[in-house]
Amino acid sequence: MSGELGILALYGLLVLIILVVQVLTAWAQVGLPMLARPRDDMPRLTGMAGRMERCLSNSVVAMALFAPAVLILVLREATGGGTLMAAQLFLLVRAAYAVIYPAGIPWLRTGVWALGFLATLYLYIAAL
């Protein structure tokens, strides 16, 4: 397995952890009965629970963009030192994002997000 695929797998695990934390924070805010039924009338999550919900959503979108780039690189056998470093940077900043966003640190969150976006963009450019 290439290093990039390993990083993709680690990012998948990170997203699963974010999902569990999101569910736990939502549970603490609205209770398990609300989470167990259809969410048509679920109140808007606020505070940490709301930020975790948005962090999860953003992380899933990031996965949807990162995974194809990695798979294209691996299938084209176009991986190398630069792509591995970009994938490592992506994982590092997405892990930081998962802490910074729920903590409510706005400008740092934006900067970390931008680094992850640029790392993903680099992977697509390398795949061309």
Side-chain angles (χ1 to χ4, degrees):
M1 176 172 14
S2 77
E4 290 85 348
L5 281 177
I7 290 170
L8 177 57
L10 288 172
Y11 186 61
L13 288 174
L14 177 61
V15 173
L16 287 172
I17 292 167
I18 293 168
L19 172 64
V20 169
V21 173
Q22 186 274 325
V23 168
L24 292 174
T25 57
W27 181 359
Q29 188 170 104
V30 299
L32 186 58
M34 175 60 75
L35 293 179
R37 65 181 196 231
R39 298 184 183 184
D40 299 332
D41 60 344
M42 185 164 141
R44 182 176 170 267
L45 296 174
T46 60
M48 176 71 80
R51 289 190 301 272
M52 283 306 305
E53 183 176 51
R54 292 184 297 279
C55 180
L56 175 62
S57 176
N58 187 277
S59 297
V60 170
V61 169
M63 172 71 87
L65 294 171
F66 179 69
V70 168
L71 295 174
I72 292 165
L73 286 165
V74 170
L75 289 173
R76 294 188 73 202
E77 297 180 358
T79 60
T83 60
L84 181 58
M85 192 178 332
Q88 290 168 335
L89 174 65
F90 173 85
L91 180 61
L92 179 68
V93 298
R94 291 305 306 185
Y97 184 88
V99 174
I100 292 166
Y101 193 119
I105 307 170
W107 288 104
L108 184 56
R109 178 197 82 205
T110 302
V112 165
W113 178 91
L115 285 173
F117 176 82
L118 291 173
T120 304
L121 178 62
Y122 176 86
L123 294 174
Y124 277 102
I125 291 169
L128 292 176

